[in-house]
Every structure is written in C-alpha cells, then in structure tokens.
Amino acid sequence: MEHLTNRIWVLLEHRDGRLKPVSREAVTCAQALAGPLKMSVSLVLLGDHTIEGLTHQVDREYGLEVLAIRTESGAVCTPEIQCEVLRQSIAQEAPYLVLMGHSYQVIDFAPRLAAQLDRAFLSNCLGHEIRDGKLHFIRPVFGGKLHQEMTFLGEPPFIVSIQPGAYSNQILRTEDSPGVVWKDIPPLKQNPGRRVLEIVEEASKKVDLTQASVVVAGGRGLASREKFQLILDLAEVLGASVGASRPPVDGGWLPKEHQIGSSGQTVAPRLYIACGISGAIQHLVGITSSQCIVAINKDPNAPIFNVADYGIVGDVFKVVPLLIELARELRR
C-alpha cells in the first residue's frame, strides 16, 4: 500500500436496515483521533443493493463521508466474503486506520482480515492515547484485572475494535456532509466456504446497559436482596437502568446481565450513581467512560471516590431514601 491516505475508516455494522449501537461509539472514537492526527473520517457500509436507504440515512445523520461498498456476492455477513471485499477495498483505498465495534461478527472475521493483510489486530480496546504522533491503545487483560497499553509495529493500515460502552455515542456532527462514495465490487468467484442459512434472535432480550443514559447501581453495601429494592426504587423514579457490582449478582439479587465491570458490561451513561459499591478495579474498568459518576458509600477511603465526580460519605440506607423523595418532589 504505497499511497497511504490520511483517512480513518469506521466499519458500520448493521442488520435489517439498522446500525448496531457500538458502531456509533466507534465513530466517536474515530472523531477523537481525527483531530490530533490531522485526518478525516469515512464511514464504511458493506452490503448488497439493499444498503442504499441506510447509506443515505447515515449520510444525513452523521454529516461524514460515507463509503458504500456494494457486492452481490450473496451472504455478505460470512467472514470469507467480508474479508475478501474489505481486503480489496483496503488495498485500493489504503486507509491509515480501520475501526470497528467489538462484536461477535467482528470477532469472526477481523483476525482473518488482519492475517490476509499481514497487519496486526488490536481487539476489544477501551481507550487510547496519542504521544509524539503515535497511537497507543488500551485494552483489558486477565479478565479486566490489568490494562495493557499497546502500539503498532510496522506500517499502516492498522485494525482496531472498540469495546461496547467504552466510548460515548455522542457523535459530533459536521456542518456539511461530503456525500456518499459508491464502490461496486463484482461478485466473488471463489466458493465462500460457508453460507448463512438463517439468523436466530435470542428468545428473550437481555438487559443492554451499554446504551443507558442513566444507570443506578448497587453493591455489597446493600446487604441483602430485600434491601436492594432501594436501588430499584431509585432507578424507577429517575427513569434509570439498574446495574450492580459482582457481589449482588453472585448473591442472586439480580440476574447476571445487570453486572457491570470486567466480567460484565462496560457502560458510558451521562449519569452513573454507585450505591454501596466500594470500587474494586474489576468494577471501575466498566464505568470509567461515564460522563458523571456519583458515589454513595459510608467508607470515606473507598476507591470509588477516586473516580467519582461527586461523592456522598454516608449510610446508603439513609441517603438513597432522601434522593428518592427529592426526585419525586421534583417530578410533581
């Protein structure tokens, strides 16, 4: 790739004409990188002729250049076809960086794509730094107990996936859209190796805290399942989603999908209220992208206060009922 461009690609994952939420977070990451690196952002949509409507919708909403790559190769969601279509496009367009959300689909094809391009793939990243013009990405290791800072050896393009909830989904819309660039790739001749017979959605929808704007979470300090009802009451009056650290989940007070942290979900709400949570590192890695963190804990030395924007040192069983009453008064 001799003619490397100063562009950051964001691969937008979609299904049934709708973008996956993590794709918005990947766009936010790209915009945060574009300024310091003096690069521009292109949003990449891959699919057949049916992506036309979504392409124009993305163009209107985001105000960023959209590269629509069309191919009538059939089941474009198979890793083999995705890799070949993207490999051809990346080889021709030579972006500096390819960003995508860390999803099951990406896990299936991104390592293969990186191997075909002879490039490294940094997966499940939750932050970044730019030092001396060089990119450094941060990713969790050992179940989130440690953070590993990594950079790339060799030449671009670089390939990175972003952990859901690690970045805000508040995209900075530009004034004028550069428009849509259409790229057509002929149907692939080789056998794709496998084909999708059907896509089966889960029978029951799990709790998705990564998209919540307000989260109220409780920890070991709530003491029991019955007393954890306080968290549910506060969440209800605030119109918030309910989360928890690991002890309440291990104790059976809440289902596993409510767990936040290295072994649960990573969240980035506008407001995160931590009640009776001491702040073990395994929990903190899941909340650091929150815009505002409010912590309530009776221990003034609790680690949660080191990351909190506002802290209340007090008994959760006295403070939370006051917050509930105050919220109800404000809503009247």
Side-chain angles (χ1 to χ4, degrees), residues 4 10 140 200 291:
L4 192 72
V10 182
V200 180
Q291 294 181 34

Side-chain angles (χ1 to χ4, degrees), residues 1 9 69 80-94 112-113 115-118 185 188 190:
M1 299 178 198
W9 275 15
I69 304 175
E80 294 84 1
I81 291 179
Q82 279 189 310
C83 283
E84 180 57 24
V85 170
L86 287 171
R87 186 195 65 77
Q88 291 184 30
S89 302
I90 291 172
Q92 293 171 9
E93 303 294 335
R112 180 193 297 255
L113 174 64
Q116 290 180 355
L117 294 170
D118 194 24
I185 292 185
L188 304 180
Q190 72 268 27

Side-chain angles (χ1 to χ4, degrees), residues 187-253:
L188 304 180
K189 296 179 181 180
Q190 72 268 27
N191 185 343
R194 51 176 157 169
R195 62 192 178 91
V196 176
L197 298 179
E198 73 175 310
I199 297 174
V200 180
E201 298 286 352
E202 289 181 320
S204 59
K205 182 176 176 59
K206 290 188 176 180
V207 176
D208 184 7
L209 297 175
T210 64
Q211 304 306 307
S213 59
V214 181
V215 175
V216 177
R220 190 195 306 272
L222 272 298
S224 69
R225 181 202 295 264
E226 291 72 27
K227 293 179 179 179
F228 199 89
Q229 182 63 40
L230 265 181
I231 303 302
L232 305 182
D233 294 341
L234 179 58
E236 180 180 8
V237 75
L238 293 178
S241 298
V242 176
S245 59
R246 183 164 184 169
V249 172
D250 287 347
W253 308 350

